[in-house]
Amino acid sequence: MASHNGSSVTEFVLLGLTQQPELQLPLFLLSLGIYVVSVLGNLGLTVLIGLNRHLHTPMYYFLFHLSFIDLCYSSVITPRMLMSFLNQNTIPYAECMAQLFFFAFFVIDECYILTSMAYDRYVAIYKPLLYKVIMSHWVCFMMTVGVYAMGFVGAMAHTGCMLRLTFCGSNVINHYMCDIPPLLRLSCSSISINEIVVFVVVGINVTGACLILFITYTLILSNIFCIHSRKGRSKAFQTCSSHIIAVSLFFGASAFMYLKPSPAESLDQDKIYSVFYTIMEPMMNPLIYSLRNKDVHIALKKTLKKRIYT
């Protein structure tokens, strides 16, 4: 039975992360552990921020959305990858396109929520006296609406262009998810429009966001170096260090993945690189933002005490 877009392919086969039998079980257990930590960490952080009033500030407002995005992001990718380790490799055409849409949606959201967090830190350090005025509830809300709107537009562009393609040959995807590069290699029709869309959308979202981040942190660092107090400089650096680590992890891996030349023989390497921003990064964010964060530690202690004594 042909699919609605004229393709003869009604389902795809995901090869998964590796085809070596001896690595299947160790990688399954490792991936399952990472996913559990990611879910618990991001879900715990969203609940903690929601329950504690003193964390209802712009910084933690954006961190709440980052954790929510990471929770959804990892849940779109990792469960399907875990199934591939159990030899459940087939994915229906419609489910594959849905995974592609939500993957693109959340990865673009991640770009812009990290950019919004950088702007928040810029205002907090560069204009501390006007911080509450500039980063009002309405401004934070509108920035978040913009984040999700950009994600929706980008995801629709990628998925819409993929739906117009015809798949009539091999249905084997050399990946653990329905990503754009391996899907394009299976198309029987011209992919020139898709390549332009990938270049434009990824260029705007990754390069544009990186440019904003570079300008923002240049201004932040110039202001920090102007602080005469060593204690003041140290405190300012601490407020930015977690975000810099998270940004470096995400943008470094995603930019290398999508903005480099992509020869056919690099598919196996691409899978390894994509692990960093699809699986590792959602796990790392709650750890990065909570381990050295005194406010989160205090909120956690208060929440646990309330639960014990009620």
Side-chain angles (χ1 to χ4, degrees), residues 212-262:
I212 295 171
L213 286 165
F214 177 77
I215 294 170
T216 302
Y217 270 104
T218 299
L219 293 172
I220 288 173
L221 292 174
S222 65
N223 189 70
I224 289 174
F225 288 127
C226 290
I227 299 173
H228 298 292
S229 167
R230 185 176 178 181
K231 186 177 180 181
R233 285 198 302 270
S234 176
K235 186 177 180 181
F237 270 121
Q238 285 179 359
T239 64
C240 301
S241 58
S242 297
H243 186 256
I244 291 172
I245 295 169
V247 165
S248 301
L249 264 174
F250 179 78
F251 281 96
S254 57
F256 183 82
M257 176 75 180
Y258 288 101
L259 296 180
K260 69 177 181 64
S262 186

Side-chain angles (χ1 to χ4, degrees), residues 23-208:
L23 295 178
Q24 296 287 335
L25 181 60
L27 286 175
F28 171 80
L29 295 175
L30 178 62
S31 301
L32 179 61
I34 290 172
Y35 181 59
V36 170
V37 172
S38 179
V39 169
L40 292 177
N42 286 296
L43 185 61
L45 206 51
T46 56
V47 171
L48 198 64
I49 294 171
L51 291 177
N52 289 272
R53 282 179 166 269
H54 76 278
L55 295 182
H56 293 179
T57 62
M59 174 182 172
Y60 292 102
Y61 174 81
F62 291 121
L63 183 55
F64 175 90
H65 284 278
L66 177 66
S67 296
F68 171 74
I69 290 167
D70 280 335
L71 178 63
C72 298
Y73 184 24
S74 59
S75 297
V76 167
I77 304 300
T78 312
R80 172 53 67 176
M81 187 182 76
L82 292 173
M83 290 173 66
S84 70
F85 287 121
L86 303 175
N87 293 322
Q88 298 180 27
N89 302 70
T90 58
I91 180 171
Y93 175 87
E95 186 180 335
C96 184
M97 293 300 110
Q99 187 189 53
L100 174 63
F101 173 83
F102 285 109
F103 163 66
F105 176 69
F106 289 118
V107 79
I108 295 171
D109 289 345
E110 185 103 359
C111 280
Y112 286 106
I113 202 70
L114 287 170
T115 307
S116 300
M117 293 172 76
Y119 177 73
D120 171 68
R121 293 300 82 204
Y122 160 74
V123 176
I125 293 172
Y126 209 72
K127 298 183 179 180
L129 298 178
L130 297 174
Y131 178 70
K132 290 185 178 180
V133 177
I134 296 173
M135 299 302 296
S136 64
H137 292 298
W138 176 247
V139 170
C140 292
F141 173 74
M142 291 307 297
M143 288 175 69
T144 309
V145 170
V147 166
Y148 291 112
M150 290 297 291
F152 180 78
V153 171
M156 284 296 293
H158 285 308
T159 311
C161 287
M162 194 64 68
L163 288 170
R164 58 177 284 277
L165 297 181
T166 301
F167 299 94
C168 55
S170 173
N171 68 336
V172 179
I173 300 175
N174 187 11
H175 214 296
Y176 55 82
M177 65 176 181
C178 292
D179 200 3
I180 297 167
L183 277 170
L184 292 181
R185 287 183 171 88
L186 301 181
S187 175
C188 300
S189 50
S190 173
I191 61 170
S192 56
I193 294 177
N194 296 72
E195 290 176 334
I196 293 171
V197 169
V198 168
F199 183 78
V200 171
V201 174
V202 175
I204 290 172
N205 293 324
V206 175
T207 309

Side-chain angles (χ1 to χ4, degrees), residues 48 51-52 54 296-310:
L48 198 64
L51 291 177
N52 289 272
H54 76 278
V296 172
H297 293 169
I298 294 169
L300 182 60
K301 288 177 182 178
K302 286 183 178 180
T303 303
L304 290 175
K305 284 181 181 179
K306 286 180 181 178
R307 291 292 173 267
I308 292 171
Y309 294 113
T310 54

